[in-house]
Amino acid sequence: MVEPIFDYQFRLILIGDSTVGKSSLLKYFTDGKFAELSDPTVGVDFFARLIEMKDGTQIKLQLWDTAGQERFRSITKSYYRNSVGVLLVYDIRNHASFEHIPLWMMEAQRHIEPHRPVFALVGCKLDLVNNGGQREVTTEEARAFAKQHGLHFVETSARTGVNVEEAFRMVTQEVYSRIRSGEYKVEDGWDGIKTGFARPSTLDFNLVVAEPEKSSCC
Amino acid sequence: MSGSDSDSFLSADEDYSSPKAQIKPANSPNASLGHNKSVKQKKLQCHDDAGGIVEENKPRLSTEERTQDNNNSDDGWDDWDDDDDNQNNPISEKKLSAEKSKGQIENSTLGALDKAKPSNDNDGDGWDDWGDDEDDNLSVETSHSELKTASKTKTQMPSLSTTASNEPGNNVSSSYDTLPVLRELQSDSRKTQYTKDHKTETERRENEIVEKPESSWGWKNWGGVVSFLSNATEGVSTLTSQVSQGFCNVLENSIGVPDPEEMARIKHEEEKNQTKSTDNSGNEKILVKKDSKEDLIRSSVGNLLTGVTQIGNKVITGGLDTLEGIGKKTMTILQENDPLLLNKRKLLGLDGDKPVLSQILREAKEKSEETENKLKQIQKNSYKKQLHFEMLFDHYHGLVHLEALEMLSKQSSLKLQSLLEPLTGKALAEMQETLNEVKELCDLGELDEENDCLSGAVDLKEKLAAATEDLGIEVDFAELVKCWEGNSTSLAKLEDVEPQEIYNKALRCLAETTALIVSKMHKIAELILIQDHHSTANEADSLVQLTHIFCLHLRSIANLFGAKLNTYETTEETSSLITSIFLEESSSSSYVKSAFQLFIPILQMGAA
């Protein structure tokens, strides 16, 4: 069970072509397991994990795993709006999935506006090319694209778990830094960033009020 | 130096009339240094050459002050000081003359003046001007003559001169106090100058005159202590010491209020001394008389002046001695049984060991922060321990599914709005009718409260399958059935557990089931939205049925756990727990119902 006490909740969304490995990536990140077989995602699925920043801040990541299938495209775009971070996922053995990345990115930007989310480019199935499989998207190519569009970039494997944690952590860290710098704020009507509902902020107020009353009687 | 002196002297007469010309600060350090030097030199000169030169120097000093530029930082100080000095200095000159005529050693007085004057810096000008205004004719002339006679007679009063030099402040105050007396003396001395014949009589009278103003001055408050002022002799010193001794005795005896008997005794002693001292002064005066007739008068005036000055100084020193005695005595009394005043310091809160206020505050703050953190931790833990339906519902992603469903519902509403906008007339009416029809189809009606529960997992499965038969969408309810199976079997196995644990299990089960239901509804909504062909009536019918089954299912769960708790002894705890279970069940149902309401625009979209 996810720790109910946290400081912030970030909503991250994973988008990309069907079968690139979004659900597997999330499953590994939240469960530490790799499923050999998995059903295609219907609409959207949800995952959650708590991660801790270097300064001890607890952040709950609410992860929206969207269906990559074309038929769900019309409804998945409804889910973009409340996201603060976007992971653009492609299959490094499938160049077409990489080619669609700019389209996914534009779609996300269009729906998330006026908010400006943190983007990350995540290449999946690294384990398969390391085992002699055919790589279609070179690291250099992907890195150049990421640099050009100001994206974080990492290549991962949900089977071995390589860089899975890093992929999510770098996005979270970036969002958190932007909160610290004041670029991002908790806003009413926007669920990209929320403060932890269990954080006893009203409690502090009560404490302050209660104590002087106690002392005044003696 | 001499050149500049003469220059300033030339212009002196012009400036002489204006007393404001006195203070003009020095331009540069060098200038002020030179200036001070010149003043000193002149003063020395003044003393050596006596009266006549003093007169000449007065304007010179003031003009030199004037010629200096205005950048002295001691501006205010000088201004302030001069007010005092205007009054003081004529007296000090007279004092000087008086002392000399009394026969004091010239060197000692000079020394006294030299020491006293530099401390006042450029004040010489101030008194010079003042003196010119008022007692030009008297003080200077008299001092001139008196100084001549001064060297002839010698008596020892070194203590007086030293006190005068060491404590210029005392000197100032004493001379200030005696000022009115001196004025009277001046007028008297004038008289004596014209009536030379009645030498001794006037002298006696003068003595009386001196006596009278003194007594009217309010010094009588001190009782006998002050009455000796008029008599002006050595007896004073013994008196003051006696008085201070008396004070010490008094202090020893009590808090400090003099005993009336003691006071009477002291007064008596003083009176004795007074008579003694008058005899002494008489003897002195006789000695003076032997000199010459002219000198006699002047010396008598000098005598009086010296006496007054001496008295002033004596009173001050005596007073100080007394004060010192009081202070010492007070300290010794305070320190009795309390070495180093440790207890009293503690009592007054003056102890140096006492921690600083800021430190105390800081410590207090730290302490409160610590307790606050502890309290937070405790509350966190208790929050974690205590199960909350909303939290569990969120944990099973029920909340986020509901939110996603809401998003889809909103999206559909917006689409419907955009569809309705271009429509007019008949088309719009038709469209609205269709939408209303769908809305009517989605009326849940009254959920029959009396309806018996689902008999089990199989019953649930069958009913759900029947409800979704006409939906046209394949929905997998396996998870829901599995959850139900798992919970019911584990509950049956539970034996000898706390009622609270049963409650917790019920809460988890309800939250998980509700979350699953909402997620299934969300999925159905998604699938309906991506459906190409719709039979809205069937969809609506299916969903109404499903919602009924879901609510029934939740009721069954609540009943199951409630029944389990009923097997326990009926206490306040168990009954309240049963109530809470049904309360949570109703809130779960309301989630499901609100989820169903979100379907309406989605179904309308399909119909449109």
Side-chain angles (χ1 to χ4, degrees), chain B residues 54-160:
Chain B
V54 171
E55 205 175 359
E56 280 180 1
N57 277 335
K58 278 173 223 155
R60 216 190 268 177
L61 280 166
S62 60
T63 37
E64 183 151 11
E65 294 281 3
R66 242 193 142 201
T67 50
Q68 302 293 341
D69 283 279
N70 300 325
N71 286 333
N72 198 341
S73 57
D74 293 336
D75 237 358
W77 154 256
D78 285 339
D79 288 344
W80 177 263
D81 228 30
D82 275 300
D83 293 338
D84 283 344
D85 294 323
N86 285 344
Q87 294 169 324
N88 293 336
N89 286 316
I91 298 148
S92 65
E93 201 199 325
K94 266 172 251 156
K95 218 188 289 165
L96 166 73
S97 60
E99 278 168 15
K100 284 196 174 177
S101 67
K102 238 263 163 168
Q104 276 200 321
I105 306 149
E106 240 180 52
N107 289 337
S108 70
T109 34
L110 268 174
L113 279 161
D114 275 338
K115 279 178 197 167
K117 292 227 169 164
S119 71
N120 289 337
D121 220 10
N122 352 329
D123 303 335
D125 50 315
W127 70 258
D128 284 337
D129 290 347
W130 197 87
D132 288 328
D133 290 342
E134 287 206 353
D135 35 40
D136 233 357
N137 41 2
L138 174 75
S139 68
V140 177
E141 279 170 307
T142 46
S143 65
H144 180 63
S145 55
E146 276 162 17
L147 279 168
K148 280 178 183 170
T149 55
S151 56
K152 291 171 187 171
T153 50
K154 280 184 183 176
T155 46
Q156 354 82 307
M157 295 296 287
S159 64
L160 178 67

Side-chain angles (χ1 to χ4, degrees), chain A residues 65-129:
Chain A
D65 177 25
T66 61
Q69 288 175 326
E70 183 64 40
R71 62 185 186 124
F72 288 111
R73 199 68 52 83
S74 62
I75 54 168
T76 49
K77 62 187 180 193
S78 319
Y79 302 131
Y80 288 130
R81 201 182 88 83
N82 281 332
S83 307
V84 73
V86 179
L87 278 82
L88 302 160
V89 187
Y90 70 95
D91 180 354
I92 59 170
R93 299 178 314 146
N94 180 351
H95 203 271
S97 73
F98 179 70
E99 284 164 20
H100 292 149
I101 289 292
L103 299 174
W104 285 110
M105 201 172 120
M106 274 164 60
E107 183 136 305
Q109 274 172 335
R110 194 159 61 89
H111 285 99
I112 295 171
E113 266 182 351
H115 298 282
R116 301 179 62 80
V118 173
F119 281 101
L121 184 64
V122 181
C124 282
K125 307 185 187 180
L126 187 64
D127 57 296
L128 291 177
V129 294

Side-chain angles (χ1 to χ4, degrees), chain B residues 261-331:
Chain B
E261 280 182 339
E262 195 79 27
M263 286 301 284
R265 194 178 58 79
I266 291 163
K267 205 172 182 179
H268 185 67
E269 274 179 4
E270 281 165 359
E271 274 165 4
K272 268 186 197 169
N273 282 321
Q274 277 172 29
T275 48
K276 249 193 231 168
S277 61
T278 42
D279 291 342
N280 287 342
S281 64
N283 291 336
E284 262 185 339
K285 278 160 197 164
I286 291 157
L287 278 168
V288 175
K289 272 179 215 166
K290 283 172 186 171
D291 277 38
S292 71
K293 276 189 178 180
E294 270 201 3
D295 289 345
L296 241 171
I297 295 155
R298 277 166 193 166
S299 69
S300 68
V301 172
N303 241 341
L304 282 168
L305 288 170
T306 326
V308 170
T309 329
Q310 279 172 357
I311 289 156
N313 285 321
K314 283 279 172 190
V315 167
I316 296 306
T317 45
L320 281 172
D321 285 346
T322 314
L323 272 174
E324 198 184 340
I326 292 166
K328 273 181 183 170
K329 213 69 206 172
T330 315
M331 270 315 264

